[in-house]
Amino acid sequence: MTKMNNKNKIFIDKLRSSGLRPTNQRVEISKFLFNRKKTFHFTVEELKSSMNLKRQKKISTATFYNTVHALKSAGHLKEFSLENNTSCYDTNITSHHHFFDNGKVIDIKSDKITFQKLPEAPKGKKIKNVEVVIRLENNN
Amino acid sequence: MTKMNNKNKIFIDKLRSSGLRPTNQRVEISKFLFNRKKTFHFTVEELKSSMNLKRQKKISTATFYNTVHALKSAGHLKEFSLENNTSCYDTNITSHHHFFDNGKVIDIKSDKITFQKLPEAPKGKKIKNVEVVIRLENNN
DNA sequence: ACATACTTTAGAATAATTATAAAGTAGTTA
DNA sequence: TAACTACTTTATAATTATTCTAAAGTATGT
Ligand SMILES: [Mn+2]
Ligand SMILES: [Mn+2]
Ligand SMILES: [Zn+2]
Ligand SMILES: [Zn+2]
């Protein structure tokens, strides 16, 4: 078992609160995802490629999927579908919106969009969340 | 070749304007999609199942995909991704929004949602469209 | 160390979609 | 209408994203 220095505690805690033991692979994934200044968006395939690029011993696809799903279920990641029907994960778990610009996804802070009018939920239902996608195209 | 009565003209025109010759299979698909009072949402698999159910000679999967894609490209259908990453097509091609209610998709007329504030597009870009998804959950 | 439980992984299996290429059909010409 | 050509349909293979399985590996408690 690895010697864990205290500076990894926050990444380990995200795993523990997702019901995952902090194994080496998982801690590396958690650090890769959350040890940064800015949040970002990624697909599992992108995550796997960029993390495995620098590694001698590759982390398996299943471990990436399992870990990402657990983090997502615990609320440490948000998930949405890209236009090509693949899952995109977001380390920004605050409520916010997106620009879709030809495959590129850009955050829109929640307070940049406000509503004048919103429909009521059908009876028996209530609103869980409201998400806006603004699709962009090139000028002219 | 089939004898086309005039009442199919509108469905045939949608095919022609999509760059497709109005073959029997295509006309049947076009009628199935557009010969109704209310618009609806469907996946290719659902379309195939429901149309082939009543047929002796089945229309092939490829023909469904090809026809739906051509209609979509010509603007006769809109496409969006469901949460399980499959394509959902919409015969309502007006600009509008959706409730997502556990896999069920419900239209929200465009005028039911208005914005108080919307962000500007990044420089060099402009807004192509704005789509809102309101996710629902059960009350209580 | 032993036993037990959890983890990792390669590879198989699924599901949605796209590509291929042969056989069928329609449109045009002679 | 026969022949020619172009477009269509379809079965089937291929791809891609994702999930499942089962065996081998690793950690934890005693
Ligand atoms: Mn998933
Ligand atoms: Mn498609
Ligand atoms: Zn985001
Ligand atoms: Zn709709």
Side-chain angles (χ1 to χ4, degrees):
Chain A
M1 11 60 283
T2 321
K3 182 73 176 316
M4 309 289 190
N5 33 21
N6 217 320
K7 78 185 208 298
N8 285 351
K9 179 164 192 314
I10 184 170
F11 313 115
I12 290 175
D13 284 347
K14 287 196 201 286
L15 295 169
R16 288 226 161 88
S17 61
S18 307
L20 298 179
R21 282 191 197 165
T23 61
N24 285 336
Q25 290 93 326
R26 289 169 179 170
V27 173
E28 286 205 46
I29 293 172
S30 185
K31 286 175 65 176
F32 184 92
L33 295 178
F34 303 114
N35 191 21
R36 2 184 127 217
K37 287 288 163 42
K38 303 165 99 61
T39 61
F40 74 117
H41 306 102
F42 64 93
T43 65
V44 171
E45 199 50 47
E46 289 165 354
L47 175 65
K48 187 180 92 170
S49 301
S50 50
M51 284 197 64
N52 275 344
L53 201 63
K54 35 195 151 206
R55 309 180 99 255
Q56 61 308 340
K57 183 155 190 334
K58 314 298 188 193
I59 297 174
S60 75
T61 304
T63 294
F64 284 108
Y65 274 101
N66 292 341
T67 306
V68 165
H69 278 164
L71 290 168
K72 146 82 192 320
S73 294
H76 297 302
L77 292 172
K78 293 215 301 178
E79 182 182 14
F80 56 90
S81 286
L82 298 178
E83 312 224 297
N84 56 328
N85 293 341
T86 67
S87 281
C88 185
Y89 294 90
D90 196 336
T91 63
N92 179 356
I93 58 173
T94 69
S95 173
H96 66 283
H97 308 291
H98 292 106
F99 286 122
F100 278 12
D101 181 7
N102 303 303
K104 199 152 54 70
V105 177
I106 305 168
D107 276 355
I108 300 170
K109 286 226 199 71
S110 197
D111 63 3
K112 296 286 184 193
I113 297 181
T114 59
F115 298 93
Q116 198 156 74
K117 201 159 111 182
L118 267 184
E120 282 180 48
K123 55 247 142 228
K125 306 286 176 177
K126 65 181 178 194
I127 292 176
K128 181 161 41 178
N129 62 54
V130 178
E131 284 184 7
V132 181
V133 169
I134 301 182
R135 247 163 242 105
L136 299 176
E137 60 191 349
N138 290 330
N139 256 336
N140 197 1
Chain B
M1 16 53 293
T2 320
K3 181 72 175 315
M4 305 290 190
N5 34 21
N6 215 320
K7 77 182 205 301
N8 284 352
K9 179 164 192 314
I10 184 171
F11 312 115
I12 290 174
D13 284 348
K14 286 196 202 285
L15 294 169
R16 287 226 160 88
S17 62
S18 307
L20 298 178
R21 283 192 196 162
T23 61
N24 286 337
Q25 290 92 326
R26 289 169 178 172
V27 173
E28 287 205 45
I29 293 172
S30 185
K31 287 175 65 176
F32 184 92
L33 294 179
F34 303 114
N35 191 20
R36 8 183 124 213
K37 289 285 162 45
K38 302 165 101 59
T39 60
F40 74 116
H41 306 101
F42 64 93
T43 65
V44 172
E45 199 50 47
E46 289 165 353
L47 175 66
K48 188 180 91 169
S49 301
S50 50
M51 284 196 64
N52 276 344
L53 200 63
K54 34 195 149 208
R55 310 180 99 253
Q56 61 307 340
K57 183 157 190 332
K58 314 298 188 193
I59 298 174
S60 75
T61 304
T63 294
F64 284 108
Y65 273 101
N66 293 340
T67 306
V68 164
H69 278 163
L71 290 168
K72 146 81 192 319
S73 294
H76 297 303
L77 292 173
K78 294 215 298 178
E79 181 182 15
F80 56 89
S81 285
L82 298 178
E83 312 224 297
N84 56 326
N85 293 342
T86 68
S87 281
C88 184
Y89 294 91
D90 196 337
T91 64
N92 178 356
I93 57 173
T94 68
S95 172
H96 66 283
H97 308 290
H98 292 107
F99 286 121
F100 279 13
D101 181 7
N102 302 305
K104 198 152 54 69
V105 177
I106 305 167
D107 276 354
I108 300 170
K109 286 227 200 69
S110 197
D111 63 4
K112 295 286 183 194
I113 297 181
T114 59
F115 297 93
Q116 199 159 72
K117 200 158 111 185
L118 266 185
E120 283 180 47
K123 55 249 144 224
K125 306 288 176 176
K126 65 180 179 194
I127 291 176
K128 180 161 45 177
N129 63 55
V130 178
E131 285 184 7
V132 181
V133 169
I134 301 182
R135 246 163 244 105
L136 299 176
E137 60 190 349
N138 290 330
N139 255 339
N140 196 2

